[in-house]
Amino acid sequence: MFSHSYHLMVRIKLVSRLPPVNDHAGEGNILTAIRPAVEAKGVTRIFRGTGQDSVRALDNVSVAIRENEFFTLLGPSGCGKTTLLRLIAGFDYPTDGEIQLYGQDIAPLPPFKRPVNTVFQSYALFPHMTVAENIGFGLKMLGKPKAEIEARVDAMLKLVHMQELKNRRTSQISGGQQQRVALARALAPQPKVLLLDEPLSALDYKLRKEMQIELKRLQHETGITFIFVTHDQEEALTMSDRIAVMSAGNILQVGTPWDVYDHPAERFVADFIGETNFLTGMVESAGNGQARIALRSGAKICATAAAGFRAGGNATLMVRPEHAKLVKGRGDLTGTIETIVYFGTDTHIHVRLDEGDVFMVRQQNSRSASCGFENGDKVGISIGDDAAQVLKD
Amino acid sequence: MANRFDVRRQNGFVSVAMLCFFLLYLPIATLVVYAFNDNDSVVIWKGFSLRWFHIAWNNALVIESSIRSFQIAAVAAVLATITATMAALATTRTKPYPGLTLKYAFINQPLMVPEIVTAVALLIVFSRIKIWTGYSGLGYLVAAHTAFCIPFAYLPIRARLESMDLSLETAAADLYATKWKTFRHVTLPLLWPGILAGLMLAFVVSLDDVVITEFVKSGGQDTLPTYMLGQLRRTVTPEVNAISTAFLVLSIGIVTAFFFISRKRT
Ligand SMILES: Nc1ncnc2c1ncn2[C@@H]1O[C@H](COP(=O)(O)OP(=O)(O)O)[C@@H](O)[C@H]1O
Ligand SMILES: [Mg+2]
């Protein structure tokens, strides 16, 4: 499953590495390139319930989202993603902290004055209007002349491939088409920032994959900053320029898909994104972003580590299944094969370690040979110098 | 669709249903039939005639009180519907808070307090006001009718608002619509069927009222129902049947028209 989407990610990445469309080519210096489009500064949102209980939906969140980037908020349900989007859109206000749009505090602006548009999870299309009227709504509210609205609506219809359905009612089109109309409607007024709250979650698998590519294309063609919300780690990895991983009202880590997948800062991030093996051990020596860890099995391995780890402390290590290798004979770890699961592109081999935990290894398949192991085999697991990462708990 | 548990297959269903229809519609059918009676009696049939319709049509008091009824109903229904729409918006577009239930009760008070109590209370208050101001026009009836029509307009409008997706209004605000434009372009068009239903109900309820009208009206302010009530105290002729029949046809016409208008809107 995963490796399939990983290929997709590589393909999309290639597309997005094309030179960006830049209106201000002359002033394209480093300053404008890293200018944040949206910046949250110490934002807290507390929902006061009835009586004493209150929910801290966002807890002192700070994050800077760059201009023109595809930024994803990733986290389990209830971690505060929608709350953060609503604060940016202006449907709700922070209990504490500040949200800036291009360096300006937007607290005094009501939602209809913010150059920010939203694609709602439920689409929220106006049922009493046609597809074209829906798409033109924002421009009409802005008081644009009729001719301009019509031209823009036509351009948007073309952008999302919906020209034929322009005069349909929104109740007479399919879910995927409604999704496209919702996108076109939010893009039509050319907002500075587009907010997308789990826009693909209502679609079936195949359509979702199609729309993922479509969204990447739209972001690229329009050059608008996208803030995309999802609880699907695969979707986040395949689509984003950068990802913020959230948990219980906090942002745990912000980084490229590669950062959060291969260099997760915390156990939660490593666990939430992709499949992971966790090992425990003692730090023998640390420094320079590297650490030597003595595992419980007695083996010693090298791992990358953030600053702050000292020799003598306990440590949790993370090893991705595809970064470990099964060997016949002794490796860094030893154990017995419990299950072998064939996935087409690769094979997952679950090994019961001698210490008792289960460790999973992922092997690429080839046409000519089987994986070379059988259930019950005594095997070793070898962990390369660059395969492990020390985690904060 | 006719499965084993279909209520139509239960023993006795058909007879009970027939009995209900019979009891509901027999009096109305009798009333309509005797409107065409060529006799002075409302119970002894003599022959077919349009005589009583002719008499009613030429009775200035009937025409006058009918016009008054429609005037009061039209103004009261519109005022009640506007008030009810505002009340419905205020009570649904908010988070529940202590005291909200009390407000529901307050708005729907005319449904709960016996009409005769309201009627007596209004009689006392209005007679005072009439003395103070010297004004004794139709305003009192319009005010009273507006008040007791509000809950009838309020209920369908509120039902419609509660079933409306709130994210539509959020989406409008997101797309640069101010509060007023959101109301004008999103809320109001989606609310129309509820508003029309409320307007229709309020109109019919006002047209129909006897008790409050009887107590509040000044001399010479009979509405059609109070005029007919007055007639009953004297000899009853099929003229009353004829007026009722005309009224019945008219109400059915109004209800049907509203039904089709609101269906076209959705
Ligand atoms: N209007 C609200 N009133 C009370 N609690 C809320 C409200 N909105 C969200 N919450 C709470 O805040 C937390 C975060 O919610 P949300 O931002 O919707 O999460 P997510 O979108 O990540 O699933 C949840 O615990 C939720 O119950
Ligand atoms: Mg959410």
Side-chain angles (χ1 to χ4, degrees):
Chain A
M1 280 298 247
F2 185 73
S3 59
H4 162 76
S5 65
Y6 207 81
H7 293 313
L8 186 67
M9 165 182 149
V10 172
R11 230 172 64 220
I12 292 174
K13 278 276 146 199
L14 285 177
V15 174
S16 65
R17 292 251 163 74
L18 291 171
V21 190
N22 196 345
D23 296 342
H24 326 279
E27 45 168 301
N29 57 36
I30 287 170
L31 261 181
T32 54
I34 59 164
R35 180 165 65 151
V38 177
E39 193 167 2
K41 289 184 165 171
V43 169
T44 299
R45 177 67 173 103
I46 299 170
F47 290 108
R48 304 230 175 271
T50 48
Q52 286 299 307
D53 56 341
S54 62
V55 181
R56 208 171 259 270
L58 291 174
D59 188 5
N60 196 17
V61 164
S62 295
V63 63
I65 295 155
R66 296 172 195 152
E67 202 170 8
N68 292 351
E69 86 176 324
F70 196 117
F71 191 88
T72 297
L73 299 171
L74 171 67
S77 181
C79 71
K81 307 178 296 287
T82 299
T83 303
L84 185 53
L85 278 201
R86 289 174 55 83
L87 294 180
I88 297 171
F91 308 142
D92 192 12
Y93 292 88
T95 312
D96 198 10
E98 186 178 307
I99 295 177
Q100 295 187 340
L101 193 72
Y102 290 95
Q104 277 195 325
D105 182 10
I106 50 173
L109 297 183
F112 56 86
K113 285 198 180 144
R114 298 189 183 190
V116 172
N117 288 154
T118 309
V119 177
F120 295 86
Q121 186 168 2
S122 60
Y123 310 147
L125 297 178
F126 304 124
H128 58 298
M129 297 181 198
T130 63
V131 165
E133 284 166 344
N134 264 281
I135 297 176
F137 187 83
L139 296 163
K140 189 171 155 194
M141 293 301 109
L142 286 170
K144 300 281 184 214
K146 243 192 159 90
E148 186 186 330
I149 297 179
E150 265 171 38
R152 187 100 192 104
V153 167
D154 283 338
M156 293 321 294
L157 284 164
K158 204 166 152 207
L159 189 69
V160 297
H161 311 306
M162 291 278 296
Q163 289 108 309
E164 290 79 29
L165 302 175
K166 144 180 206 178
N167 293 318
R168 288 272 187 92
R169 289 266 158 166
T170 54
S171 54
Q172 299 166 329
I173 57 178
S174 73
Q177 290 164 339
Q178 289 181 8
Q179 168 74 82
R180 283 163 197 274
V181 176
L183 260 169
R185 184 180 72 174
L187 285 170
Q190 292 175 297
K192 292 240 166 46
V193 178
L194 187 73
L195 309 175
L196 304 104
D197 193 358
E198 311 212 15
L200 308 182
S201 60
L203 304 179
D204 61 42
Y205 182 79
K206 194 161 172 286
L207 206 54
R208 198 158 73 228
K209 290 283 157 207
E210 253 174 64
M211 283 307 295
Q212 287 177 1
I213 296 172
E214 189 77 12
L215 273 178
K216 272 309 270 192
R217 178 180 71 81
L218 285 174
Q219 197 258 333
H220 187 71
E221 283 179 14
T222 57
I224 291 172
T225 307
F226 275 35
I227 306 181
F228 181 85
V229 161
T230 182
H231 61 259
D232 181 344
Q233 46 101 8
E234 201 178 305
E235 194 165 274
L237 288 175
T238 53
M239 301 183 67
S240 321
D241 292 325
R242 288 194 309 149
I243 298 171
V245 183
M246 295 183 66
S247 168
N250 290 289
I251 291 186
L252 302 181
Q253 186 173 4
V254 180
T256 61
W258 178 75
D259 277 336
V260 294
Y261 183 78
D262 271 340
H263 299 277
E266 306 190 23
R267 185 178 175 126
F268 179 90
V269 178
D271 206 15
F272 191 72
I273 298 176
E275 280 159 307
T276 316
N277 298 297
F278 293 107
L279 299 168
T280 48
M282 272 240 308
V283 182
E284 275 211 326
S285 63
N288 249 342
Q290 291 285 326
R292 247 183 104 69
I293 312 287
L295 295 180
R296 275 199 296 171
S297 64
K300 298 190 170 135
I301 60 173
C302 276
T304 47
F309 288 97
R310 295 244 168 74
N314 284 327
T316 302
L317 278 181
M318 171 208 91
V319 182
R320 295 285 182 197
E322 65 274 22
H323 298 151
K325 244 178 82 177
L326 274 193
V327 291
K328 306 205 160 141
R330 285 198 64 83
D332 297 307
L333 301 161
T334 51
T336 315
I337 294 182
E338 267 194 353
T339 30
I340 299 178
V341 188
Y342 179 71
F343 273 93
T345 54
D346 49 21
T347 303
H348 296 185
I349 301 161
H350 299 256
V351 179
R352 173 73 61 185
L353 298 179
D354 293 345
E355 299 95 274
D357 296 335
V358 172
F359 192 103
M360 186 174 93
V361 176
R362 197 199 319 262
Q363 262 191 7
Q364 198 70 26
N365 289 331
S366 79
R367 273 186 76 193
S368 46
S370 73
C371 74
F373 297 95
E374 301 270 349
N375 277 350
D377 280 1
K378 293 286 283 179
V379 289
I381 297 167
S382 125
I383 297 166
D385 274 356
D386 199 25
Q389 158 102 356
V390 186
L391 299 172
K392 282 189 281 191
D393 265 314
Chain B
M1 287 306 268
N3 66 48
R4 232 146 40 87
F5 301 105
D6 191 334
V7 69
R8 278 172 294 183
R9 290 183 166 217
Q10 301 288 318
N11 282 338
F13 171 78
V14 174
S15 10
V16 171
M18 292 313 264
L19 185 69
C20 288
F21 280 124
F22 192 71
L23 290 176
L24 267 176
Y25 288 105
L26 182 71
I28 297 176
T30 317
L31 177 131
V32 172
V33 167
Y34 279 91
F36 298 95
N37 190 8
D38 189 13
N39 197 353
D40 285 354
S41 161
V42 288
V43 285
I44 301 160
W45 181 261
K46 195 173 152 203
F48 179 86
S49 156
L50 289 177
R51 184 175 131 207
W52 294 111
F53 286 92
H54 188 74
I55 288 172
W57 182 253
N58 286 314
N59 183 341
L61 285 176
V62 169
I63 299 302
E64 198 186 295
S65 58
S66 299
I67 290 173
R68 195 173 293 119
S69 271
F70 277 96
Q71 282 171 336
I72 293 170
V75 178
V78 168
L79 291 179
T81 306
I82 293 171
T83 315
T85 306
M86 294 195 288
L89 282 167
T91 50
T92 53
R93 292 297 180 262
T94 173
K95 278 185 199 142
Y97 56 87
L100 189 58
T101 318
L102 200 70
K103 286 191 187 165
Y104 290 148
F106 192 73
I107 294 163
N108 292 318
Q109 167 268 332
L111 293 180
M112 291 176 283
V113 175
E115 207 181 341
I116 188 71
V117 174
T118 313
V120 173
L122 285 177
L123 174 70
I124 295 165
V125 173
F126 282 166
S127 62
R128 279 274 134 187
I129 298 178
K130 275 177 202 173
I131 291 167
W132 287 337
T133 59
Y135 170 74
S136 59
L138 279 181
Y140 299 103
L141 278 175
V142 169
H145 278 229
T146 303
F148 72 72
C149 283
I150 287 173
F152 293 94
Y154 173 79
L155 291 174
I157 296 172
R158 184 178 144 207
R160 181 85 190 169
L161 269 174
E162 278 183 339
S163 68
M164 198 188 289
D165 184 359
L166 266 185
S167 67
L168 294 177
E169 286 165 23
T170 312
D174 189 56
L175 292 161
Y176 313 106
T178 57
K179 285 217 156 114
W180 165 246
K181 280 182 172 170
T182 300
F183 179 71
R184 164 83 188 66
H185 293 284
V186 176
T187 317
L188 194 60
L190 292 171
L191 198 54
W192 257 121
I195 291 178
L196 284 179
L199 187 69
M200 182 197 80
L201 264 175
F203 188 81
V204 171
V205 165
S206 163
L207 211 55
D208 202 36
D209 183 71
V210 176
V211 179
I212 288 180
T213 313
E214 185 68 36
F215 278 70
V216 170
K217 74 180 164 74
S218 307
Q221 290 187 344
D222 263 321
T223 61
L224 193 58
T226 59
Y227 169 76
M228 284 164 72
L229 190 68
Q231 290 303 296
L232 290 183
R233 296 198 191 107
R234 296 183 227 146
T235 46
V236 189
T237 63
E239 186 184 356
V240 176
N241 294 44
I243 298 167
S244 302
T245 304
F247 227 60
L248 182 69
V249 171
L250 214 71
S251 334
I252 292 175
I254 292 169
V255 172
T256 316
F258 270 115
F259 176 74
F260 279 108
I261 293 170
S262 69
R263 221 177 48 164
K264 229 174 77 184
R265 285 282 190 168
T266 30

